[in-house]
Amino acid sequence: MSAVVVGVDGSEEGLGAARWAAAEAAWRGVGLRIVTAVSRWEVPGADSGPARGGAVPRPQQNLRAAAQAAKEISPKIDVHDEVLGEDPARALLHAAEGAPVLAIGSRALGPVAGFVLGSVGLSVIAHATMPVVAVRQQVARSLGTAPIVVGLDLRHSYGPLLDFAFETADRRGAALRVAHAWSAQGLYSYPSALPDPAVLERVGDSAEAELSQALSPWRRRFPRLGVDTELAMGASAPFLVESSTDASLLVVGRRLRGHPFPTRIGPVTHAALHHAACPVAVVPHE
């Protein structure tokens, strides 16, 4: 089986991604591949230009620091590192071909502004064909067995999303929470109409039944996994961010085709990446 891949740059966010990737590799029973690019010092989750403090980092030093951080989490995993002489986004995508997951860093701005993925990180997520996990610097909870939350939109293909979420929760021995937001828009022909509570209740019951039916095949495949559902009427993005406040991982999706702009990742996924407090896994799907 292919190794888990993580991109690092000498920043604290990159080290956080290395720690998360080490734990993930141990859970999967595979090795860890740590990569860094040398053509530019802009990497996923970090600012453009030199690392903090003004000193230009050396690639081998970055790799050694990341390997040490990884070994502190999972001492027995096999760690391989490599310096890549490509543009960082292209280098990460090439290095992660065939990998089960790619981890990158995400820089925190603060409790109000949220988090930032640089242009490289967004480009990697927008073009990746494997799940990409954006990791914050502080990852202590994400290394444990806190619940995993998956945001499900039943209007789009969700098979790969549920495969990743159920398999990850099963490997970790964590509970899984499936969050689904449904909308009352379209029930009335004009926006000022006041929804009938009885109608909203019926629509909510229908959404719950549809969600239960969608989850049935995965519940049969993972009978010992604790699975809860959480439904809400309204916008998906704030609901997912709120639902994942106690989570070790938030799983969201990204469509592989259908967007006119190659770097578009969708508004809900974009909001989750910038505002969720836990690591965010973006799973591509048709």
Side-chain angles (χ1 to χ4, degrees):
M1 183 181 291
S2 299
V4 171
V5 177
V6 57
V8 301
D9 67 326
S11 69
E12 289 298 322
E13 292 76 30
L15 293 179
R19 294 184 182 98
W20 185 93
E24 181 68 10
W27 275 314
R28 290 177 177 269
V30 301
L32 175 64
R33 185 183 180 194
I34 305 174
V35 299
T36 191
V38 298
S39 60
R40 288 169 55 201
W41 293 113
E42 182 186 5
V43 297
D47 290 325
S48 300
R52 294 188 185 110
V56 176
R58 296 180 180 179
Q60 293 297 340
Q61 290 178 339
N62 294 342
L63 294 176
R64 283 196 297 269
Q68 181 179 352
K71 285 290 188 178
E72 290 171 357
I73 299 299
S74 302
K76 295 182 179 180
I77 62 170
D78 292 327
V79 177
H80 301 276
D81 56 54
E82 185 177 359
V83 178
L84 303 175
E86 290 184 87
D87 171 82
R90 186 175 291 109
L92 283 174
L93 291 171
H94 286 173
E97 287 181 0
V101 65
L102 167 63
I104 60 178
S106 181
R107 178 169 59 89
L109 288 180
V112 177
F115 299 88
V116 161
L117 273 171
S119 60
V120 174
L122 290 174
S123 180
V124 167
I125 289 173
H127 293 92
T129 57
M130 75 294 296
V132 179
V133 180
V135 184
R136 320 305 183 204
Q137 178 183 346
Q138 301 298 330
V139 293
R141 187 179 65 201
S142 69
L143 302 180
T145 56
I148 291 173
V149 175
V150 55
L152 200 61
D153 185 348
L154 297 176
R155 298 171 300 174
H156 303 301
S157 173
Y158 50 79
L161 198 66
L162 291 182
D163 284 342
F164 182 87
F166 271 78
E167 290 167 4
T168 301
D170 186 60
R171 276 193 300 270
R172 298 185 182 189
L176 180 64
R177 182 185 308 144
V178 183
H180 173 59
W182 56 275
S183 175
Q185 292 181 356
L187 295 177
Y188 298 90
S189 58
Y190 52 96
S192 62
L194 294 176
D196 185 336
V199 173
L200 291 181
E201 183 177 1
R202 287 196 298 271
V203 175
D205 290 344
S206 177
E208 186 173 5
E210 187 179 4
L211 178 62
S212 179
Q213 182 178 4
L215 295 176
S216 292
W218 283 268
R219 278 179 160 149
R220 288 194 295 268
R221 283 172 53 192
F222 300 89
R224 294 190 298 271
L225 183 62
V227 181
D228 295 321
T229 58
E230 186 173 358
L231 291 87
M233 182 185 73
S236 297
F239 171 55
L240 286 181
V241 171
E242 177 65 26
S243 181
S244 63
T245 53
D246 65 338
S248 61
L249 182 69
L250 172 61
V251 184
V252 294
R254 177 188 65 81
R255 281 184 286 175
L256 284 170
R257 294 195 299 266
H259 292 308
F261 304 104
T263 57
R264 180 173 172 82
I265 60 174
V268 174
T269 295
H270 194 276
L273 286 165
H274 283 75
H275 297 291
C278 62
V280 178
V282 181
V283 180
H285 60 82
E286 297 291 343

